[in-house]
Amino acid sequence: MEQHVFDRLMRDDKLPHMWCRGCGNGIVLQSIIRAIDRTGIDQDKAVIVSGVGCSSRANNYTDFCGLHTTHGRPIAFATGVKMANPELQVIVVTGDGDSTSIGGNHFIQAARRNIDLTVVVFNNSNYGMTGGQYSPTTPVGAFTRTSVYGNIEPAFDVCRLAEGSGATYVARSTTYHVQSLIKYIASGITHKGFSVIDAMCDCPTLFGRINGLGDGAKMIAAWPEKTVSIEKAGTLSADELEEKVIIGEFVNSSRRSEYTEKYARIIEEAQRERADLK
Amino acid sequence: MKQEEKVDFRLNREYCKACGICTALCPKKAISADDEGKPSMINEEACIMCRLCELRCPDFAIRIGRMQ
């Protein structure tokens, strides 16, 4: 009988995990595990790189090569790993704050280069680990520990930011829509180029409590109402879309070439030139 | 339901944090929370083996399949 995917790809000795009751991070991590399994990539060729935050604890529980780095910098470290050994499949696990605030510059530069990384953003709209401060993806009007009168800053749309910066695979799903979340992460891994999957998840302990959204079960059950598919979004007016989160595949393009492939050609050319000089 | 098609619902009680996501979102209400708030199979006949309870478990606590 085939071993269960958790037995093959998780580190059982590290479980149970440290996330709160009803936290969506476990569902996103499970989706990553299943997506890696679905693509059939070699366990020893997969590297999970994380930054700092609740989301970034994810690679402590997986049985792949792993790199737990500094706040906001997982994409910078992942770029180094990929450049040194382009054969590796590098997957970045990061949070909304880690990737779009502290690491915002790394995020856009890596997208601009179109380097073959798969970035899964655990987007729970606040900084969970430090006590629930607002992040660049906190919706306008939402309450957090640092926006007690309601957030006045417009939120980043992670997918539009990625697309505008040059990412060649961009998709969004939620922990409720777990089957499409797995599918998009798998597509992102298979895609040759910079892939971003915006994984919407819930922080019931901080964001949920302060906004009166109920427990983890109530919060996840609210996603169908809060979301609209990319196909349906095309038929709605700007006003109707105002409060909605659009889910689906936004970009899937192979028109731009990938960074490490271009760099390999540079290495080849430089070595040839050097050989000619001898 | 034939004997060989019986549902094999396994819960790791140590990992389960009783968040209630699986029981709230089971489309057939085949599982229900026990005294500790943790899920148990109450209606095997209703289970359609969609596996959403396992896929949406944030605690890696559920494994569901068919009895061998």
Side-chain angles (χ1 to χ4, degrees):
Chain A
M1 197 183 152
E2 203 195 351
Q3 253 191 324
H4 193 277
V5 60
F6 297 166
D7 294 332
R8 284 183 286 117
L9 305 180
M10 298 288 294
R11 294 171 68 181
D12 192 52
D13 57 322
K14 296 287 182 190
L15 293 167
H17 57 59
M18 51 75 75
W19 293 314
C20 302
R21 192 167 90 144
C23 168
N25 285 357
I27 308 176
V28 182
L29 176 58
Q30 184 181 153
S31 302
I32 295 172
I33 293 284
R34 289 181 188 277
I36 293 174
D37 192 46
R38 196 177 287 183
T39 58
I41 57 174
D42 186 345
Q43 192 168 357
D44 296 328
K45 294 265 187 224
V47 185
I48 315 272
V49 184
S50 71
V52 164
C54 289
S55 63
S56 294
R57 292 296 290 260
N59 70 348
N60 294 11
Y61 309 113
T62 59
D63 195 9
F64 304 104
C65 302
L67 199 57
H68 194 162
T69 74
T70 52
H71 203 2
R73 317 297 170 213
I75 292 174
F77 281 88
T79 299
V81 172
K82 186 73 186 177
M83 290 297 284
N85 192 349
E87 279 191 7
L88 297 174
Q89 285 284 350
V90 186
I91 298 151
V92 174
V93 293
T94 178
D96 42 293
D98 197 56
S99 63
T100 64
S101 178
I102 300 96
N105 203 5
H106 300 299
F107 184 85
I108 58 173
Q109 307 305 336
R112 180 174 62 84
R113 293 182 185 124
N114 193 33
I115 185 164
D116 187 22
L117 306 175
T118 305
V119 178
V120 182
V121 180
F122 291 53
N123 189 347
N124 65 3
S125 312
N126 77 157
Y127 287 92
M129 187 167 270
T130 49
Q133 295 84 357
Y134 70 84
S135 84
T137 65
T138 303
V140 170
F143 299 101
T144 67
R145 290 284 165 83
T146 45
S147 61
V148 290
Y149 298 100
N151 182 29
I152 57 168
E153 295 184 17
F156 263 145
D157 179 324
V158 171
C159 291
R160 288 176 68 190
L161 180 67
E163 183 178 357
S165 309
T168 47
Y169 184 86
V170 181
R172 180 187 289 121
S173 190
T174 79
T175 47
Y176 180 92
H177 305 89
V178 63
Q179 288 134 317
S180 67
L181 183 58
I182 297 168
K183 189 175 84 180
Y184 297 152
I185 298 171
S187 299
I189 293 169
T190 323
H191 177 77
K192 195 93 189 138
F194 193 74
S195 308
V196 175
I197 295 91
D198 188 17
M200 304 298 293
C201 53
D202 299 309
C203 174
T205 302
L206 295 161
F207 192 83
R209 186 159 52 190
I210 202 166
N211 287 286
L213 302 174
D215 62 8
K218 271 221 177 76
M219 287 181 84
I220 191 172
W223 281 111
E225 188 59 35
K226 286 195 287 186
T227 50
V228 61
S229 72
I230 187 167
E231 293 80 18
K232 183 145 186 246
T235 68
L236 300 177
S237 68
D239 280 346
E240 287 171 311
L241 283 174
E242 188 73 33
E243 304 273 294
K244 296 283 187 189
V245 175
I246 304 173
I247 54 173
E249 214 173 55
F250 298 91
V251 182
N252 188 355
S253 160
S254 51
R255 285 189 60 187
R256 291 175 63 222
S257 41
E258 193 274 323
Y259 190 73
T260 56
E261 283 180 354
K262 284 196 283 188
Y263 202 79
R265 287 199 289 274
I266 297 280
I267 293 171
E268 222 173 88
E269 204 176 306
Q271 283 175 341
R272 209 170 31 236
E273 211 167 84
R274 224 174 121 184
D276 288 348
L277 287 174
K278 277 185 188 163
Chain B
M1 194 179 275
K2 281 183 258 160
Q3 187 62 31
E4 64 266 27
E5 287 179 354
K6 273 180 84 74
V7 179
D8 184 13
F9 181 84
R10 290 186 207 175
L11 177 74
N12 185 325
R13 298 191 74 84
E14 188 206 342
Y15 292 178
C16 176
K17 290 175 181 160
C19 66
I21 289 177
C22 57
T23 49
L25 299 184
C26 172
K28 295 293 173 189
K29 300 285 165 231
I31 46 176
S32 173
D34 64 16
D35 297 344
E36 289 177 41
K38 300 184 179 185
S40 63
M41 181 58 68
I42 52 156
N43 190 354
E44 273 188 36
E45 303 284 315
C47 176
I48 52 169
M49 201 51 69
C50 64
R51 294 197 166 88
L52 283 168
C53 53
E54 181 178 320
L55 292 173
R56 290 200 189 110
C57 173
D59 300 325
F60 300 87
I62 297 175
R63 294 183 188 194
I64 188 165
R66 294 276 183 214
M67 223 51 112
Q68 292 294 308

